[in-house]
Amino acid sequence: FGHKPTGGSIPNFGTIPTCHGMVHRFCQLGPSCRHPEDLMPVLRLMAGPLSLADTDMDENMMLQNGYYEKYSWPDPNEVDVSNLKVIVVWEQPGSKFPVSRRSKELVQAQDRVVEALKQAGCEVETRTFLHMRKAFDIWSEMLQEEQGHEFAEVISDQQDQTIWPIYELLKWVFTAGKKSNHTLPALGLAVVDRVIRKLNLSDKKTLEHGDELKAELKAAMKGDTVMIFPTLPVPAPKHGPLPLLLKFADAGAAGIMNVLQFPATAVPTGLSSEGLPTGIQVVADHGKDHLTIAIAQYLNRVGVAGWKPPLRNEE
């Protein structure tokens, strides 16, 4: 189980590469635990004290700059799951770039989750959000807008000088990565980022769609409401640069919650027929991390969710 907290919950100072501006809230640190009951205790530990953060800023300065926000989360164990309203999104978030077709096994896993919540007494509603069809594009534009620094500079952190993205990319290609300190997807993104900045190709309309989507989701998740949302469209993909480079837009389902800053809990739902992990996300409104964690705990208790060693499918 993994939890991506509400944006700004945990200071990102001291991490590598260094975050700039509001990216502190987008690239939010969070806990990963085998048991969902451990998520909230670890989250509270990670959220403070700020005296441990590696920064020259004091707490007031971080609050004023918007890099950090204090939250006092209720105990997930005290949440009555049966009183929660559940919004279900079935459509895989998309992009102007190719996105993999959603795996039937992931749809079936999400269906088991939804049925378990219906059995618990939750009010369940299926929703579609139009701008989710450009989720990856919104993530990319919002991240670039707030970063303020070229991605090449970001991945050059702790080095003497900023890399030349095209040179590093060619070096990677001709040496199969042996002569480069960076991954192929990172270098590809650095090249694209430089081209966009040099040619001023930023898409303001996509940024507007991001703001509209954020407002629409916030309104939909008001009160004691959670959203069951897809993760990657396929079970755990193969490691390696080429598969990840060709399917980079598949990450839009995860990235969109980063830039919109909603809390999201990754819930493992067992293994595919090939023994690979499957899962869904539980999302809630800002500051309501305890609701997503409560759902994860419930699904684990009733046996719909839970960690299993990969490649050992006993079903």
Side-chain angles (χ1 to χ4, degrees):
F1 294 82
H3 183 69
K4 198 287 296 180
T6 298
S9 302
I10 300 173
N12 273 15
F13 294 99
T15 59
I16 298 175
T18 303
C19 293
H20 301 277
M22 292 302 287
V23 178
H24 278 283
R25 299 178 68 103
F26 293 172
C27 297
Q28 184 61 85
L29 302 171
S32 180
C33 307
R34 181 172 294 190
H35 305 288
E37 292 79 11
D38 294 331
L39 290 173
M40 182 56 76
V42 178
L43 174 60
R44 287 171 174 157
L45 286 172
M46 295 178 71
L50 288 181
S51 59
L52 297 180
D54 182 17
T55 174
D56 294 331
M57 292 188 183
D58 61 19
E59 182 173 298
N60 289 331
M61 190 179 298
M62 284 194 278
L63 290 169
Q64 290 171 5
N65 289 342
Y67 299 153
Y68 172 70
E69 192 167 349
K70 287 185 177 180
Y71 288 99
S72 179
W73 296 290
D75 186 348
N77 295 306
E78 297 179 0
V79 174
D80 185 349
V81 171
S82 65
N83 288 333
L84 298 182
K85 180 180 178 180
V86 177
I87 294 172
V88 183
V89 174
W90 293 99
E91 185 177 356
Q92 186 68 33
S95 170
K96 60 187 175 185
F97 301 105
V99 173
S100 299
R101 185 175 180 179
R102 197 172 186 208
S103 162
K104 182 179 179 180
E105 289 180 291
L106 283 175
V107 174
Q108 293 172 338
Q110 182 168 331
D111 187 59
R112 291 193 294 271
V113 167
V114 173
E115 287 302 314
L117 294 176
K118 287 180 179 178
Q119 291 295 321
C122 297
E123 177 187 348
V124 177
E125 175 188 0
T126 297
R127 290 283 301 271
T128 299
F129 299 94
L130 182 62
H131 290 323
M132 277 296 180
R133 295 174 182 176
K134 292 294 180 68
F136 178 86
D137 312 323
I138 292 172
W139 167 81
S140 177
E141 287 292 336
M142 292 184 71
L143 191 62
Q144 181 178 306
E145 179 76 7
E146 295 293 343
Q147 178 64 41
H149 294 252
E150 282 195 28
F151 190 66
E153 182 179 343
V154 173
I155 62 176
S156 302
D157 200 11
Q158 308 298 312
Q159 297 184 28
D160 294 334
Q161 59 184 9
T162 301
I163 66 167
W164 294 3
I166 295 179
Y167 170 73
E168 285 289 332
L169 180 61
L170 292 174
K171 186 168 67 172
W172 197 104
V173 170
F174 286 110
T175 66
K178 295 179 181 179
K179 297 295 184 178
S180 177
N181 294 325
H182 306 281
T183 64
L184 186 57
L187 293 173
L189 181 57
V191 171
V192 172
D193 177 64
R194 175 158 293 185
V195 171
I196 289 174
R197 290 177 183 274
K198 294 297 184 183
L199 300 181
N200 194 24
L201 298 178
S202 179
D203 187 351
K204 299 300 181 184
K205 193 65 177 179
T206 299
L207 292 174
E208 293 175 9
H209 289 166
D211 292 337
E212 292 168 4
L213 179 59
K214 186 175 183 178
E216 188 178 9
L217 288 173
K218 192 169 183 66
M221 295 189 292
K222 65 182 179 181
D224 292 335
T225 303
V226 297
M227 180 169 65
I228 305 300
F229 194 73
T231 52
L232 293 180
V234 295
K238 290 183 179 180
H239 287 201
L242 192 56
L244 295 178
L245 185 64
L246 295 177
K247 299 180 179 181
F248 61 90
D250 285 0
I256 192 64
M257 295 308 165
N258 290 346
V259 295
L260 300 184
Q261 303 181 47
F262 291 112
T265 301
V267 177
T269 53
L271 305 178
S272 71
S273 58
E274 296 180 338
L276 298 172
T278 64
I280 54 95
Q281 294 183 84
V282 186
V283 184
D285 195 7
H286 302 115
K288 296 185 177 180
D289 303 58
H290 63 292
L291 296 183
T292 67
I293 293 175
I295 291 289
Q297 292 181 179
Y298 174 78
L299 294 173
N300 186 54
R301 285 198 302 272
V302 299
V304 175
W307 180 85
K308 290 184 178 181
L311 306 179
R312 293 184 183 179
N313 198 341
E314 299 174 357
E315 298 178 356

